[in-house]
Amino acid sequence: MNRIFPCAAIAVFVFSGLYAVDRSRAESPVVSLRSNDLTTIVAGKARKFGRLVGDSVVAGFRKPQDAVEWTVVAPKADDYAVSVIFSSPHRHTMEIACGDSVVTAPSVMRTWEGRPFYWRQEFPGVLHLEPGENRIRFRLLDPVSEVRGDPRKVSIVGLASEFALYSIELGTPAARKAQRERAKAIRGDTSWMIEGKYGLFVHWSALSYPFRGDKPRAEWFQESVAMFDVKTFADAVERTGAAWVTFTATHKGFYWPGPNEALDA
């Protein structure tokens, strides 16, 4: 029997186009850390020091004084494991500090072509936070002082020409262990895919262009959803010999090819 599965191809972080000019040096919003889970904060939410730019992804690290700072509220005094998501064509020494508690790590270099264009790195050791408000600061101890190009025009589609910080992740070691255990518990059984040997992935969204005419993509998308003939599609799949079909339900922009109670609420 043919099996059809919806699949959501959702990027963890959605950024648009190019880095925007930073228009504010105001205090960063206060973020409350979860006591039993990981908390991820985008770099653009941090207060910027020096000549850093970026409303979502932060770039422009030229001197050790260039830094970003988040204000977080810890529910109690505890040690927190720290990770960052970034991209960089050069190796740097990264530092994250909160008061006298400091962790450092050499940045991992990219060793592959194509996606992903950014990667996650866990720091060794832990960062100690006190109960209540804490200020966490990130900087490069050895930034590249001379970088060609404007950091405001570093595209996220492709490896950045300089160090670019996307986000920071904080969580107690116990929370990180619990996350790994949850991931194992909900891991799906994919034996049906292996046993089926051959299947089809259909990647289609509101960003797809129409086959004919010059209608706007969103208008064509809605019309195509109404025109979709399930029986004709299933018959065509059966003729290919595919054992299963997976639809990409959404990609980047959250436009779903059908009603969705959670999003429509």
Side-chain angles (χ1 to χ4, degrees):
M1 179 182 296
N2 293 337
R3 307 174 71 176
I4 299 178
F5 297 87
C7 174
I10 304 175
V12 176
F13 299 97
V14 179
F15 305 105
S16 58
L18 307 176
Y19 295 114
V21 178
D22 178 39
R23 299 181 178 86
S24 174
R25 299 280 160 176
E27 289 288 322
S28 61
V30 178
V31 177
S32 295
L33 301 181
R34 303 182 182 94
S35 59
N36 58 351
D37 205 347
L38 304 181
T39 303
T40 300
I41 316 171
V42 297
K45 294 292 185 181
R47 184 183 181 188
K48 304 172 188 68
F49 295 87
R51 300 179 63 83
L52 299 179
V53 296
D55 290 336
S56 54
V57 183
V58 174
F61 292 89
R62 300 288 192 272
K63 300 178 180 179
Q65 293 81 3
D66 295 333
V68 293
E69 184 180 84
W70 298 271
T71 301
V72 302
V73 175
K76 62 178 181 178
D78 211 336
D79 294 328
Y80 282 77
V82 185
S83 300
V84 293
I85 292 180
F86 68 97
S87 64
S88 177
H90 308 289
R91 188 180 298 279
H92 295 283
T93 301
M94 303 180 292
E95 178 190 87
I96 298 177
C98 181
D100 295 331
S101 182
V102 180
V103 291
T104 61
S107 61
V108 174
M109 291 296 294
R110 172 181 164 122
T111 58
W112 61 89
E113 297 293 334
R115 297 176 184 271
F117 301 129
Y118 42 85
W119 49 97
R120 176 180 177 275
Q121 181 175 338
E122 185 173 332
F123 277 61
V126 291
L127 196 68
H128 183 77
L129 302 184
E130 295 295 336
E133 284 196 6
N134 296 262
R135 294 183 183 272
I136 299 174
R137 182 172 290 207
F138 174 94
R139 64 175 181 148
L140 300 180
L141 298 181
D142 51 356
V144 177
S145 58
E146 295 184 5
V147 179
R148 294 181 180 180
D150 188 337
R152 293 170 297 179
K153 297 182 179 180
V154 179
S155 173
I156 67 167
V157 182
L159 184 61
S161 61
E162 62 176 287
F163 186 94
L165 181 65
Y166 289 72
S167 64
I168 185 174
E169 178 188 277
L170 298 162
T172 63
R176 181 159 287 176
K177 180 180 178 181
Q179 183 194 51
R180 294 192 181 106
E181 291 175 350
R182 288 198 304 272
K184 291 180 181 178
I186 65 175
R187 183 173 296 164
D189 178 9
T190 57
S191 60
W192 54 268
M193 179 179 286
I194 298 173
E195 293 167 0
K197 299 186 183 300
Y198 171 67
L200 300 177
F201 272 89
V202 180
H203 194 107
W204 181 77
S205 71
L207 299 179
S208 301
Y209 282 90
F211 288 113
R212 58 185 180 276
D214 56 356
K215 289 185 178 181
R217 285 184 292 181
E219 183 179 333
W220 167 254
F221 177 71
Q222 294 296 334
E223 186 176 313
S224 299
V225 170
M227 292 168 54
F228 184 66
D229 187 331
V230 177
K231 185 179 185 306
T232 299
F233 178 80
D235 290 342
V237 170
E238 187 174 13
R239 289 195 297 272
T240 70
W244 47 265
V245 176
T246 298
F247 284 103
T248 297
T250 181
H251 175 78
K252 192 174 181 180
F254 299 101
Y255 302 101
W256 294 74
N260 185 288
E261 292 182 0
L263 293 181
D264 294 341

